[in-house]
Amino acid sequence: MATVRQYAEQGQSAAELRRTMVERQLRPFDLTDVPLLERFLNIPREVFLPASQETLAYSDLAVTVRGAGGHRRTLLPPLVLARMLQGGLPRPGEKALAIGGAGYSAAILSALVGEVVALESDPELAARARDGLAALGAQNARVEVAPMGQGCPVHAPYDVIYVEGAVETGLDTLFAQLTPNGRLVAIVTPEPGAGWQVVRFERQAGQAAGRISLLSAGAPILEGFARAPSFIF
């Protein structure tokens, strides 16, 4: 796997690396939303990574970052994130909530919707996300610090909510923060025995209106969304 530094030594710029990512990782795999692809072309992923991990910015792998107290967050592989964002059907003028995306997804969404809230429970990771969004001039994106499993009711309702990690439990709390016709996208096992999948859950007139599996994808269980361990006697 080539890194940003290795490509730079070969004379390739970060912009060229982003284009390679889009052309080789995204376009061949059902990414058809042109404005979304433009955002992946224009938003530097390395801005949201610590300096020691910038060389991983345009790989096709998930990247784990660490915050205060050993908290870990995983930036999803670009293909998985792109399919997730596209699958949420973001529209101009809408409000989106991105949970656990380290600021990168909020930066991408900032030009696709009217307002974005990025939710993070770790102050250090939240500060890095704020710095990245400020550096990119994303004035319609804000970062809030709170337990991620609780969502962000203070700014609700949201037209679309993205949970950027695997979820075992806790979606009901987020559903309550959607608009009557909102969408929620998360990585879940939609039925017993099924593998992990990116799934879009839909509402119509405030009621559950079905779900659509977008692709198979795994990720670490996101903080706040793990099922409580059961006791075996």
Side-chain angles (χ1 to χ4, degrees):
M1 177 186 66
T3 66
V4 171
R5 181 176 299 131
Q6 289 169 336
Y7 280 122
E9 290 171 352
Q10 299 169 16
Q12 287 187 273
S13 68
E16 289 171 326
L17 294 178
R18 287 195 294 276
R19 183 166 297 279
T20 298
M21 177 186 72
V22 168
E23 296 299 330
R24 296 184 182 179
Q25 297 180 38
L26 305 188
R27 286 191 192 275
F29 295 99
D30 297 326
L31 261 295
T32 58
D33 186 317
V34 174
L36 178 61
L37 288 169
E38 288 294 324
R39 295 301 288 169
F40 274 92
L41 277 172
N42 295 323
I43 298 298
R45 194 177 186 220
E46 65 270 21
V47 167
F48 299 96
L49 297 174
S52 62
Q53 293 177 282
E54 287 182 0
T55 58
L56 302 175
Y58 301 109
S59 75
D60 59 357
L61 303 175
V63 179
T64 299
V65 297
R66 291 174 173 79
H71 290 104
R72 298 183 178 188
R73 296 290 177 269
T74 298
L75 277 73
L76 298 173
L79 171 60
V80 175
L81 177 62
R83 290 285 300 276
M84 175 178 276
L85 296 181
Q86 177 176 267
L89 306 176
R91 303 180 181 104
E94 292 189 331
K95 182 187 291 186
L97 174 63
I99 302 177
Y104 178 56
S105 58
I108 292 173
L109 285 166
S110 64
L112 305 176
V113 299
E115 181 180 352
V116 187
V117 178
L119 182 61
E120 176 51 64
S121 64
D122 183 280
E124 182 178 331
L125 295 174
R128 185 184 299 142
R130 286 195 187 100
D131 290 345
L133 291 167
L136 297 173
Q139 297 182 356
N140 64 334
R142 70 173 74 204
V143 180
E144 297 289 344
V145 180
M148 293 190 293
Q150 296 179 12
C152 192
V154 67
H155 296 299
Y158 304 97
D159 298 286
V160 59
I161 296 176
Y162 296 97
V163 185
E164 297 180 46
V167 174
E168 290 183 323
T169 188
L171 289 184
D172 287 346
T173 299
L174 301 183
F175 277 120
Q177 296 173 36
L178 285 171
T179 59
N181 296 307
R183 294 90 60 201
L184 187 151
V185 185
I187 300 175
V188 300
T189 51
E191 55 191 32
W196 292 102
Q197 300 174 35
V198 177
V199 175
R200 181 177 75 231
F201 298 89
E202 300 179 340
R203 298 181 89 194
Q204 290 183 5
Q207 302 297 318
R211 67 190 185 213
I212 298 174
S213 293
L214 302 173
L215 74 157
S216 297
I221 296 171
L222 191 61
E223 178 185 314
F225 294 95
R227 185 180 297 110
S230 58
F231 292 97
I232 300 176
F233 296 94

